[in-house]
Amino acid sequence: MKKIFLIPHGNYCEDYSPFLGDKKEFKKDIIKIPEDKFTFTFLGNIRPYKGVLDLISAFKSMNSNNCQLLICGHVTNPQDLELIKSKIDDNPNIYFKPGYVVDNEIQGYIKTSDVMVYPYKDILTSGSLILGMSLKSACLVSNVGSMTELIDKDCVFNNDSDLIDKMNILASTNSVKIEAIGISNFKKIEDDTWLKMATRLKDVYSNLMKDN
């Protein structure tokens, strides 16, 4: 009897209001960051295992001054909040927005980012990554958990120095290629709807009941 079943994480392709605005205006008026810089974004609840401090260090070590880092998310521990602020150290190209992003702006935050970054130190799977892929984002991920099964190796980093290298490479990549990476990510998960995944889970239990 088969004992292991693999059911992918459901996607979020239809879960958020579509972004129909102007990307530069959204950056300037809503996020309130410069609209003309290459933007790396971390979006999601912020906990130590998510590697935000390492991401800040890597960004500060990059070669380009034409980039910015946007960090958005609820910080669960007040001490972590102070650590992040201290790590940023008033860097003019790092923008930290602690707190939840409202649902009707999530698409805007992701769509106006050039690359979404997931620098997690320890994780099995990531709903935030699936969200980024669902919205056709180029995604840069750490080599942990199942994330590397979804993302091409050129956008997977193994350590801090590799993260810096990959960020520098992506920052110098033209917008057409960045968009193509995002579309490729989307195609990998576009069929994994929650209805299909729920049906597969139901079938697993139904077959197990039959076997018993």
Side-chain angles (χ1 to χ4, degrees):
M1 182 178 67
K2 186 177 180 181
K3 295 183 178 180
I4 298 176
F5 301 87
L6 177 61
I7 299 174
H9 194 300
N11 67 42
Y12 299 104
C13 297
E14 305 295 335
D15 286 61
Y16 292 92
S17 303
F19 177 73
L20 303 175
D22 180 85
K23 291 183 178 181
K24 288 189 174 182
E25 287 184 1
F26 190 91
K27 276 185 174 180
K28 182 178 65 174
D29 299 335
I30 305 300
I31 309 179
K32 301 189 184 305
I33 60 175
E35 69 270 22
D36 56 349
K37 289 191 174 185
F38 191 97
T39 306
F40 293 96
T41 299
F42 175 98
L43 176 66
N45 287 329
I46 298 174
R47 298 184 177 91
Y49 76 87
K50 293 196 173 181
V52 170
L53 295 179
D54 294 336
L55 174 58
I56 294 169
S57 294
F59 179 82
K60 291 167 74 172
S61 299
M62 288 182 66
N63 299 326
S64 176
N65 289 320
N66 195 38
C67 296
Q68 58 192 356
L69 173 62
L70 175 63
I71 301 170
C72 307
H74 173 65
V75 184
T76 57
N77 188 324
Q79 291 181 334
D80 293 334
L81 181 67
E82 295 307 314
L83 281 173
I84 292 169
K85 290 179 179 178
S86 175
K87 192 74 171 180
I88 293 172
D89 193 25
D90 295 324
N91 186 295
N93 292 317
I94 302 179
Y95 297 87
F96 179 37
K97 297 185 177 296
Y100 294 107
V101 175
V102 296
D103 284 353
N104 63 358
E105 292 183 354
I106 285 179
Q107 277 240 22
Y109 273 79
I110 294 176
K111 287 287 190 180
T112 57
S113 172
D114 294 286
V115 175
M116 299 295 296
V117 189
Y118 306 87
Y120 304 158
K121 296 180 176 183
D122 181 24
I123 201 167
L124 178 59
T125 187
S126 169
S128 294
L129 173 60
I130 299 298
L131 174 58
M133 297 176 72
S134 298
L135 299 183
K136 301 180 182 178
S137 294
C139 300
L140 178 60
V141 307
S142 53
N143 187 5
V144 297
S146 63
M147 295 195 297
T148 56
E149 298 175 9
L150 296 168
I151 301 300
D152 293 339
K153 63 180 181 180
D154 289 343
C155 290
V156 176
F157 66 90
N158 297 299
N159 50 50
D160 292 343
S161 62
D162 195 23
L163 172 57
I164 298 167
D165 290 342
K166 294 286 171 63
M167 291 176 77
N168 278 319
I169 291 170
L170 287 166
S172 62
T173 301
N174 66 64
S175 60
V176 175
K177 178 66 180 297
I178 293 292
E179 183 178 356
I181 294 171
I183 292 172
S184 174
N185 287 340
F186 172 77
K187 289 180 177 178
K188 293 173 185 175
I189 52 87
E190 65 175 321
D191 291 331
D192 296 340
T193 66
W194 285 100
L195 179 59
K196 287 183 179 179
M197 298 309 104
T199 301
R200 287 176 62 172
L201 182 60
K202 179 179 73 67
D203 291 343
V204 167
Y205 281 108
S206 295
N207 291 329
L208 288 173
M209 293 296 291
K210 290 176 184 178
D211 291 338
N212 291 331

